[in-house]
Amino acid sequence: DAGVTQSPTHLIKTRGQQVTLRCSPKSGHDTVSWYQQALGQGPQFIFQYYEEEERQRGNFPDRFSGHQFPNYSSELNVNALLLGDSALYLCASSSLVSGGGAEAFFGQGTRLTVV
Amino acid sequence: QKEVEQDPGPLSVPEGAIVSLNCTYSNSAFQYFMWYRQYSRKGPELLMYTYSSGNKEDGRFTAQVDKSSKYISLFIRDSQPSDSATYLCAMTKLTGGGNKLTFGTGTQLKVEL
């Protein structure tokens, strides 16, 4: 079982640019969530996708958008990057429909640096 | 006030000690409680997952949930240097929309030889 995989591992972007991060969920999981973790803080929920739709959203601006594909993989897009967007971006997968409960498994994260 | 409060530490203990990590929360709707371990620059790893109040044990780890006090704990017995990491508590209430996790800030633990 490959677990949750994210790409790329590290990324450096310039202010104002756009970035796309990718996530493949754990085998058998159908739900993908994205979190932002600033240095020294706990992860903050961005949004969650199930059945290719955004089901829940945290307190993040519209510059943050996402997508889920039929194979359950997901992308996180951030437009008009700000210095404050520098963080570790985490993808979590879970299996809500099949009765897996609330437990979520995380990938290794993508470290985004905005300069 | 944050929904989930967690002492950031750092907490330093000698090898073999019993470690107690704690979180308090304000939202009584939370039903599921998790503890994650996060090594530096890595993603969080799920350690313990409990539903509602009670205790759960897994090897050297014990998780306790007291919903009446809105207080959860993680105990680590016979702590090892490899346990040095940041420990994050997380909680959620399952809704028709999903399982958004709310995290504490994490407690940094160092187990010294």
Side-chain angles (χ1 to χ4, degrees):
Chain A
D1 185 358
V4 181
T5 59
Q6 292 186 241
S7 63
T9 306
H10 298 87
L11 205 51
I12 299 175
K13 289 286 189 178
T14 304
R15 275 180 301 175
Q17 285 189 316
Q18 179 264 345
V19 67
T20 297
L21 310 182
R22 296 175 176 84
C23 172
S24 292
K26 190 176 168 68
S27 177
H29 284 185
D30 50 34
T31 302
V32 172
S33 303
W34 288 92
Y35 292 79
Q36 180 194 66
Q37 186 177 25
L39 200 61
Q41 300 297 315
Q44 297 294 312
F45 177 77
I46 303 175
F47 43 53
Q48 184 173 79
Y49 278 85
Y50 169 66
E51 290 189 330
E52 302 179 50
E53 288 188 7
E54 183 182 293
R55 295 300 180 118
Q56 282 187 297
R57 188 177 183 92
N59 189 25
F60 280 81
D62 291 344
R63 298 186 298 108
F64 290 76
S65 64
H67 188 78
Q68 186 179 35
F69 299 95
N71 66 352
Y72 307 118
S73 67
S74 176
E75 288 182 348
L76 164 66
N77 301 293
V78 187
N79 294 322
L81 284 167
L82 303 174
L83 294 179
D85 294 332
S86 296
L88 181 68
Y89 287 85
L90 296 162
C91 171
S93 79
S94 49
S95 178
L96 296 180
V97 174
S98 61
E103 56 191 328
F105 297 86
F106 284 82
Q108 80 280 12
T110 293
R111 183 160 298 281
L112 172 65
T113 302
V114 182
V115 297
Chain B
Q1 182 188 8
K2 291 183 178 180
E3 273 192 292
V4 180
E5 299 279 359
Q6 185 176 10
D7 187 336
L11 177 63
S12 183
V13 301
E15 183 180 9
I18 297 174
V19 176
S20 172
L21 304 167
N22 311 293
C23 287
T24 59
Y25 62 96
S26 58
N27 189 344
S28 58
F30 287 139
Q31 304 166 292
Y32 296 86
F33 304 89
M34 283 143 276
W35 285 95
Y36 288 86
R37 177 174 63 195
Q38 186 174 28
Y39 292 111
S40 181
R41 298 182 171 270
K42 301 291 184 184
E45 173 194 5
L46 182 62
L47 285 177
M48 301 290 285
Y49 166 69
T50 55
Y51 170 69
S52 195
S53 287
N55 295 355
K56 186 174 183 179
E57 186 174 321
D58 184 1
R60 296 185 296 113
F61 299 92
T62 299
Q64 286 186 352
V65 175
D66 182 348
K67 289 194 71 179
S68 62
S69 301
K70 298 191 182 70
Y71 187 88
I72 69 170
S73 301
L74 177 71
F75 297 95
I76 307 174
R77 290 183 298 280
D78 187 25
S79 56
Q80 303 295 311
S82 58
D83 294 328
S84 298
T86 296
Y87 290 79
L88 295 155
C89 65
M91 45 202 79
T92 187
K93 52 180 169 67
L94 275 186
T95 67
N99 64 338
K100 164 192 169 183
L101 297 183
T102 302
F103 282 86
T105 54
T107 299
Q108 188 179 349
L109 171 68
K110 185 173 183 180
V111 181
E112 302 191 72
L113 290 168

